[in-house]
Amino acid sequence: HPLSPSMFRSSPALCWLHPVHETCSQKSSSSEANDGQSTLSPWTGDAVEGLSRKDALENLLHRAATGQALSMAYPDCNSQPGRSPFCLEMPTTQSLRLSRSRITVTVSTDQAAEESIKIPLLLSDILHAPVLASHQERDDVANYIVAVAPRPALEVKEEPAEPGKTRPKEEEAPPAKQAAEPPLGPVWLLCVGRCSNLDMQRVLFELGGHGALRWDFHQCYEVTKRALGTGGCGTVYLGQNRRTEKRTKQQIGKADPPTVAQVAVKVLKKSKVPQEHSIRSEIYFLSRSRGHPNLSALFGVFCHWEDTKGDDPCSSARSDESSTECVEAGKARLRWSIVMELCTGGDL
């Protein structure tokens, strides 16, 4: 099998689109009778009432990883992992490239023509799961699936300040007045092969460096309660990597996020305005300037459900309850964090 080069700089992992996107395109083209229809389309499904955006995406991901029919409904945990109804082998007609906060998919058709599809990464939710019924010895068969859910564009109008008066400083909004999460819309599923557990972490951090939004903050970092600094948008804390991988000689002096022991974690204040609106330009700048030797590296943007009863802004809600249950019971609120390279040399 002619394996394509990896689109990742930090990992040899191979990546291609899940074959469900070809099926979605066929259904869309047959219903719309559009000759110019794309050969690949994102997965879309019926929303499940009362289910949060993150839970719906997680359900879809685990169904894809365990070979169940794709939907946002909770997967059947009692069923045995079976062979996926889709062939998860790497196709010869796709080529993926990662740059400028998006994934560009180039597809070769039967007519020798090429078609390009762009998947935005800037503040798109990403989750990952291992493929349980996978042929681990083959590089061209997926052993992980990554779900990418682009967020809808937001238009927020701010009320102008009265003449001669300055706008009052915005205080942190209580949970009841915080902006609600948008419902889950179109989703792209990425198959990842030739990928170890550490390589998968490098893939996630590289996607995060391009502005993707991750939900596994507490699986990656433990945050101290002592603040390193405070600003108008949030507070910066010291983050300790939970992973224990030892750095090699080649990694010393390089920003390899899975093996960096300490990071700077900027915990954002909650606002009545959706956080993605207030930080989009900042994340866009950091993602576009990644790799610059004179700028702190962006390791990723994270969301987690915070325990409303605790005073620690980095605390998490109970892990045995879904985010939907925690929010409905008033036990959790959404907290955004930006993780960056830690600079220990002091102020200039």
Side-chain angles (χ1 to χ4, degrees), residues 260-292:
V260 173
Q262 294 181 327
V263 296
V265 180
K266 179 180 179 181
V267 181
L268 303 179
K269 291 181 179 179
K270 289 305 299 180
S271 172
K272 297 178 183 179
V273 177
Q275 292 286 11
E276 56 261 42
H277 172 79
S278 59
I279 67 170
R280 179 175 289 270
S281 59
E282 178 181 357
I283 300 304
Y284 177 76
F285 172 79
L286 292 172
S287 63
R288 289 295 299 268
S289 60
R290 65 190 307 271
H292 195 287

Side-chain angles (χ1 to χ4, degrees), residues 92-110:
T92 60
T93 57
Q94 291 183 20
S95 174
L96 275 67
R97 183 168 57 90
L98 177 61
S99 65
R100 296 190 176 186
S101 300
R102 63 175 178 258
I103 297 174
T104 302
V105 184
T106 303
V107 183
S108 300
T109 63
D110 296 336

Side-chain angles (χ1 to χ4, degrees), residues 18-21 23-24 27 42-46 56-75 84-86 88 145 187-189:
H18 192 284
V20 69
H21 298 299
T23 305
C24 292
K27 291 181 179 179
W43 180 91
T44 55
D46 296 331
L57 184 60
E58 195 170 52
N59 291 346
L60 172 65
L61 173 65
H62 283 284
R63 281 178 169 272
T66 55
Q68 300 182 43
L70 299 186
S71 77
M72 300 182 196
Y74 286 104
S84 172
F86 299 98
L88 299 183
I145 293 180
V187 177
W188 294 94
L189 297 175

